[in-house]
Amino acid sequence: MTVYVDDAVHLWRGERWAHLLADTLDELHAFAAQLGMPRRAFQNRTSGAHYDVTAGLRERAIALGAMPISRHHDRALVRAVIENARRQGRGLAP
């Protein structure tokens, strides 16, 4: 099982944001808790199950062992992780 963090992909409210993803929802929640993120940050929308993280928090996640991935270079891996999270996240409240 692995936790992934993609590159900072979009700007919102003046900050760059990325996604924290994992092979399982339990692992995603556990890792996000290590980062001090509240459970309400959990997303279950079009991008599947993930946490939105700032670029600074992305660096902390990498230091804690998250695998950095690129949406440009690792597209197949990102799609697989998001689809897996989407399947697991169905029916869960955000």
Side-chain angles (χ1 to χ4, degrees), residues 31-81:
F31 194 87
Q34 286 180 21
L35 288 174
M37 298 182 69
R39 191 170 175 93
R40 71 177 180 278
F42 173 71
Q43 302 292 309
N44 179 23
R45 295 187 177 90
T46 58
S47 294
H50 68 274
Y51 284 85
D52 288 328
V53 295
T54 62
L57 202 53
R58 176 183 184 271
E59 297 306 314
R60 186 164 171 231
I62 292 169
L64 287 174
M67 176 185 291
I69 55 177
S70 166
R71 285 191 174 240
H72 178 71
H73 295 297
D74 303 312
R75 286 182 186 156
L77 174 61
V78 171
R79 278 195 302 268
V81 172

Side-chain angles (χ1 to χ4, degrees), residues 1 10 13 15 24 28 38 48 65-66 72-73 77 86 88:
M1 294 194 283
H10 61 278
R13 293 190 179 182
E15 290 196 70
T24 69
L28 177 66
H72 178 71
H73 295 297
L77 174 61
R86 201 180 270 143
Q88 293 181 65

Side-chain angles (χ1 to χ4, degrees), residues 1-5 20-29 31 49 61 64-69 77 80-82 84-85 88:
M1 294 194 283
T2 307
V3 175
Y4 308 90
V5 63
L20 183 70
L21 308 131
D23 289 331
T24 69
L25 295 180
D26 288 342
E27 188 174 22
L28 177 66
H29 289 306
F31 194 87
L64 287 174
M67 176 185 291
I69 55 177
L77 174 61
V81 172
I82 288 174
N84 185 45
Q88 293 181 65

